Amino acid sequence: MKTETFDPVAISEQQFNKAAAYITGLKAGLIDYLKYPNQTHIIHFPVEMDDGSIETIQCFRVIHNRIFGPSKGGIRYHLDVNQAEVTSLAKLMTWKCALVGIPFGGAKGGVVCNTKVLSQNELQRITRRFTFELSKVIAPQSDIPAPDMYTNEQTMAWIYDTYNGLNPGHNNYPVVTGKPIGLGGSLGRREATGLGCLFATQQFLSKALIPSILELKDTRVAIQGFGNVGAVAAKAFYKQGAKIVALSDSSGGIYSEQGLNPYEVMAFKQENGTVVGVPNTKIVSNEALLEVDCDILIPAATAFQIHHANAKQIKAKLIVEAANNPTTPAADAILQRRGVYVIPDILANAGGVTVSYFEWVQNHANEQWALETVNEKLQKKMAAAVDLVFDYWQNYSFSPNDALIKASEPNFRTIALVIAIKRVADATLLRGIWP
Ligand code: GLU
């Protein structure tokens, strides 16, 4: 069997090259420039652990592009964090913001650590020191972090507090988004990524591309991941009458043909630490979950879950990428041949950064919008972005200047990237290459 590389930079370059080949008149030098990050910060610092020992912590903040405004992107805490991953995720943020049309560029941060074994005090010390190290990088008008994998509102509160201590006398709330509601956070931010997935899916289904799924009622949905994004998506789809047939977390997954109640699963997880073991469910592995019989598959966990070896076995007719980078290019090609549609990450999960933008606007104006206002604006943004991608897909006459890809029609990922890259490229030329 053909093997495949899971190198995040190589994969993002492959996806970028494919999209760039569809954009006529893009200067080669500009294409090249957009592949590289504007800045990469690699930071090491010591942290005193609760037992008195000292550990060296490695962190990254990569700023890819700031053509449209301050760079924006989450900070993840995970043992697998590395420069290549953070760089590819920073690029995704640039395309995501450009696609949904919010005035931010792209960035990402990462701290190599395992939040499952660290105490709250250790996490706080790591976060405050990281913020101190980044104090000349992040700022309300230049680079704005947010939550990502294994970071949350508390992490953002520590970032805000540390930054504010270093820069007294200013309104520093907009330096970070995803803050607690009582500390400048926006209503609806925590739920925004999962809810955004629902809005994107509803708009996509309204196009009637998949005749067997015209609405969510009784549609069978499998979700890999039950963290902030997966759990919110599960509840949102369930409320629309979808049947959640499978769910999982990092310990494993559960399946029920009759459908799961995500509220009950959440209560079980809160008591037992995992979804595995919910009564009257079959245990499935995280890999097997991807292949269960369902209509919509939502990968909401880690990257590269859908790859060359399992793409043929996927039974869903629609994949909604709640996670970043869950599908490899080889899998994309197989899915496309099989007629499985994919709502790509930069579209499907853009709800998070969209409400981050709303939070930033509220912080500047010292306002707090009602939840209905936030969700209504989010729904409109997501629907407009789906419409845009769909219209391009339907009406644009593509003539790729790369003979290799002439054989296949562009899929939704490629179209979304074409729109985003073109917007960034056009704005770069409008601003002018200086000096
Ligand atoms: N970490 C989220 C993402 O990947 C949100 C970023 C943000 O809100 O800035 O889109």
Side-chain angles (χ1 to χ4, degrees), residues 122-341:
E122 288 166 339
L123 277 172
Q124 177 167 180
R125 286 198 288 277
I126 291 170
T127 305
R128 288 190 183 276
R129 178 64 188 254
F130 186 35
T131 309
F132 172 78
E133 297 284 343
L134 285 177
S135 60
K136 294 279 175 284
V137 177
I138 63 170
Q141 300 298 345
S142 63
D143 181 42
I144 306 151
D148 199 82
M149 271 169 65
Y150 295 104
T151 52
N152 54 30
E153 292 164 12
Q154 178 60 75
T155 326
M156 301 306 118
W158 291 327
I159 294 177
Y160 164 72
D161 185 65
T162 310
Y163 183 86
N164 190 58
L166 293 167
N167 298 277
H170 302 277
N171 170 16
N172 288 311
Y173 278 131
V175 73
V176 63
T177 59
K179 299 179 290 296
I181 304 295
L183 197 70
S186 173
L187 292 165
R189 172 61 186 88
R190 193 192 299 165
E191 295 78 19
T193 312
L195 198 58
C197 282
L198 171 76
F199 292 149
T201 307
Q202 285 175 320
Q203 192 68 10
F204 184 86
L205 294 183
S206 76
K207 311 290 179 195
L209 255 190
I210 310 173
S212 59
I213 328 176
L214 294 175
E215 52 167 22
L216 286 174
K217 186 144 182 10
D218 296 327
T219 294
R220 294 164 310 152
V221 179
I223 304 178
Q224 187 196 47
F226 202 60
N228 179 41
V229 180
V232 170
K235 290 176 192 166
F237 278 75
Y238 176 80
K239 278 199 209 153
Q240 296 300 317
K243 197 195 259 190
I244 312 295
V245 291
L247 285 173
S248 71
D249 59 29
S250 55
S251 309
I254 49 174
Y255 174 83
S256 161
E257 211 181 313
Q258 284 72 48
L260 300 155
N261 176 335
Y263 293 89
E264 285 170 18
V265 176
M266 181 53 91
F268 183 91
K269 185 174 162 94
Q270 266 155 9
E271 211 166 293
N272 301 280
T274 173
V275 300
V276 179
V278 169
N280 305 318
T281 62
K282 206 172 105 185
I283 295 176
V284 289
S285 66
N286 259 303
E287 295 76 45
L289 178 138
L290 300 168
E291 300 172 17
V292 299
D293 198 8
C294 65
D295 304 300
I296 299 178
L297 173 64
I298 306 183
T302 52
F304 312 136
Q305 294 297 302
I306 304 171
H307 44 75
H308 72 287
N310 64 4
K312 282 195 196 80
Q313 284 83 261
I314 282 170
K315 306 203 179 44
K317 296 168 200 77
L318 175 65
I319 297 176
V320 181
E321 294 187 335
N324 287 317
N325 275 331
T327 312
T328 66
D332 252 345
I334 296 169
L335 295 168
Q336 196 175 348
R337 272 202 301 278
R338 294 184 52 225
V340 178
Y341 291 107

Side-chain angles (χ1 to χ4, degrees), residues 61 71-76 89 92-93 96-97 104 107-108 144-149 151 177-178 189 193 229 322-324 345 349-357:
R61 182 73 179 167
S71 47
K72 188 80 190 82
I75 295 185
R76 58 174 55 186
L89 292 167
L92 270 193
M93 288 308 301
K96 207 182 285 189
C97 294
F104 285 147
K108 203 78 174 193
I144 306 151
D148 199 82
M149 271 169 65
T151 52
T177 59
R189 172 61 186 88
T193 312
V229 180
N324 287 317
D345 45 13
N349 72 31
V353 74
T354 300
V355 177
S356 273
Y357 168 62

Side-chain angles (χ1 to χ4, degrees), residues 37-65:
N38 174 235
Q39 295 174 16
T40 300
H41 301 270
I42 306 173
I43 297 157
H44 295 87
F45 55 76
V47 163
E48 192 169 283
M49 309 309 280
D50 290 348
D51 65 3
S53 63
I54 294 172
E55 275 188 24
T56 302
I57 304 290
Q58 187 183 40
C59 316
F60 305 92
R61 182 73 179 167
V62 176
I63 294 171
H64 173 242
N65 190 283

